[in-house]
Amino acid sequence: MTVPELHQQIHVDPDRCLGCFACASACPEQRITWDDREGNRRFRAPAVCAGDCTRCRDACPADAVRLEPMGETAGRSWEPLSWSLPLARCRRCREPFTTQKILALLSRTLEATVGLSAGEADWPSCCPACRRDLESRRLLDAARWNR
Amino acid sequence: MEPFLFVDFSRCIACQACWAACRREHGGVSRLHLLCFQEAAVPLACRQCRKAPCAGFCPEGALVQEEGRGVKFLEERCTHCGLCAAACPFGVLEIVPGPVPDLSRCDLCRRRWEEGLMPVCVLTCPTRALSLDAGGAVGRRRRAQPAAFPVS
């Protein structure tokens, strides 16, 4: 059996995937979904996608998505894709807020992008809500000194 | 010096007018965060960092520091991946969940700025606790003040 040329098989490399949601945001049919549950960010995607759209692949910042044109269906897997990545928990409130891989990449790149070593930057291990709380307390303390 | 939203905490009365004005201006999502403590309230917004971690971490170059205008968001480049939110040191760049997650970050009301208007929060604040510091006015004010406490 053959399927139209335009069908393509989706391959995702979970080792390359950072756990961001660029592919899910890019899909015009919203067929790539994700949720955060039990300490993991779980992704689901169809095995096969109809159309000549390559938006998920183009959006992926880690080149983890590969689209393979389908001619023959023999030996193809139609099983939907699912993969998951461990979430990082905030060091203050213990709530999960992003993936461990995104934080690791952030720590590695901060030196090159803003000139801060991993030891100097203390915020990546905090969730956004705790970053705001810490910052506002710092500002209040500073305002008290300046009064 | 890059322009930023300056907050004088001694003037803030925690009325939340800035937050409400921001929310109304930006389609129901306030880009300004108001943290309330017993003794004071702290409005927090994007600092327009000169070396902005969000801009450095964006894989698409959708956030750029524009000389004299703060951090500019180039929407057409954004893939809505959410990495910028992980990089913001102050937690003031947020991802608004939805089918296409959106980025919410104070841009000093750039559209109004281009029309020569002030940010809505600055206009709304009844006690003038918020001001747009575009020319180093805060630095000048600080230098004009005598030392607030003795240096030992």
Side-chain angles (χ1 to χ4, degrees):
Chain A
M1 182 183 127
T2 53
V3 290
E5 282 285 307
L6 285 177
H7 277 60
Q8 45 196 355
Q9 180 126 33
I10 305 176
H11 300 277
V12 175
D13 184 347
D15 291 333
R16 295 190 77 103
C17 175
L18 293 171
C20 78
F21 28 83
C23 55
S25 305
C27 180
E29 310 265 340
Q30 287 155 29
R31 296 189 68 192
I32 305 176
T33 57
W34 61 278
D35 61 1
D36 287 350
R37 205 178 293 173
E38 289 158 11
N40 285 295
R41 180 164 291 174
R42 300 183 314 167
F43 289 88
R44 287 176 205 288
V48 172
C49 179
D52 56 356
C53 163
T54 60
R55 283 183 229 183
C56 55
R57 185 192 68 194
D58 300 342
C60 178
D63 288 329
V65 182
R66 193 164 58 83
L67 298 170
E68 186 191 359
M70 273 177 90
E72 281 294 315
T73 51
R76 296 280 180 187
S77 167
W78 298 86
E79 194 70 21
L81 305 176
S82 75
W83 69 102
S84 63
L85 289 117
L87 289 167
R89 285 182 187 276
C90 170
R91 74 172 143 87
R92 263 179 108 222
C93 70
R94 309 302 303 156
E95 284 296 315
F97 66 102
T98 189
T99 66
Q100 293 178 8
K101 257 174 138 175
I102 289 176
L103 280 198
L105 179 69
L106 176 65
S107 298
R108 283 202 302 277
T109 53
L110 273 177
E111 178 123 43
T113 55
V114 295
L116 281 176
S117 68
E120 285 173 302
D122 63 346
W123 76 86
S125 53
C126 279
C127 72
C130 284
R131 292 178 197 179
R132 289 195 293 272
D133 187 65
L134 286 168
E135 177 61 8
S136 52
R137 287 170 195 275
R138 272 193 294 264
L139 288 171
L140 278 182
D141 280 347
R144 221 169 275 142
W145 270 109
N146 284 327
R147 200 168 286 158
Chain B
M1 187 158 182
E2 297 308 324
F4 68 100
L5 199 64
F6 177 70
V7 186
D8 185 344
F9 302 113
S10 62
R11 290 178 167 217
C12 178
I13 54 167
C15 68
Q16 311 196 10
C18 55
W19 181 85
C22 184
R23 194 178 64 156
R24 193 174 55 233
E25 176 72 12
H26 302 293
V29 180
S30 176
R31 300 173 176 183
L32 207 132
H33 300 265
L34 198 66
L35 283 92
C36 295
F37 297 91
Q38 206 165 15
E39 74 272 41
V42 183
L44 276 185
C46 176
R47 292 289 184 76
Q48 319 293 334
C49 306
R50 179 174 274 276
K51 283 188 197 167
C54 59
F57 203 36
C58 174
E60 306 296 330
L63 289 157
V64 289
Q65 179 61 256
E66 195 185 24
E67 195 64 39
R69 276 290 181 95
V71 176
K72 187 178 188 178
F73 174 50
L74 305 166
E75 198 172 354
E76 65 281 6
R77 291 192 186 175
C78 179
T79 58
H80 308 270
C81 69
L83 293 188
C84 50
C88 177
F90 309 113
V92 289
L93 194 162
E94 272 197 316
I95 301 299
V96 184
V100 177
D102 234 334
L103 180 152
S104 166
R105 177 196 137 264
C106 170
D107 60 355
L108 302 171
C109 285
R110 183 170 283 263
R111 224 176 325 177
R112 293 174 54 85
W113 194 348
E114 279 158 8
E115 294 166 18
L117 299 167
M118 292 297 268
V120 283
C121 56
V122 174
L123 269 186
T124 306
C125 180
T127 59
R128 295 197 192 156
L130 292 166
S131 54
L132 184 64
D133 195 314
V138 172
R140 281 198 301 277
R141 208 180 307 165
R142 282 278 155 77
R143 283 192 293 276
Q145 277 170 358
F149 52 95
V151 181
S152 55

